[in-house]
Amino acid sequence: MPGKVADFLRTAELDDDERAALDQGVTARRGQGYTLRVTAVPAVHHRLLARCQPLDGGPGAPTVPAQRKARREYENRVSALAPTGP
């Protein structure tokens, strides 16, 4: 998960599973930013992805291109995971 997404999610209201996944993530430096390696079941990643939807901007919300790109990268990684179920 890109660092901009992780930073946003740390300030969000998360359930216990999501918070535990973030807290147990391992930080890896990457260029100017960082990546948080999170080990969790795909369902948790899908829920985290849904919670960071505001990074895409929206009506009345400012859009920051770097945040939007970070969310899109995370979405691509999550979509490559196994499906969440039926």
Side-chain angles (χ1 to χ4, degrees), residues 10 22 24-30 33-37:
R10 284 192 175 107
L22 277 182
Q24 294 172 3
V26 176
T27 301
R29 294 292 301 163
R30 194 185 100 208
Y34 71 96
T35 297
L36 186 67
R37 293 190 178 133

Side-chain angles (χ1 to χ4, degrees), residues 4 6 15 18 20 25 33-35 43-44 47 55 68-70 72 77 82 84 86:
K4 290 190 181 299
D15 66 23
E18 296 164 345
Y34 71 96
T35 297
V44 171
R47 289 195 316 257
L55 292 177
R68 196 172 71 214
K69 180 182 176 188
R72 195 172 56 244
R77 294 174 191 169
T84 58

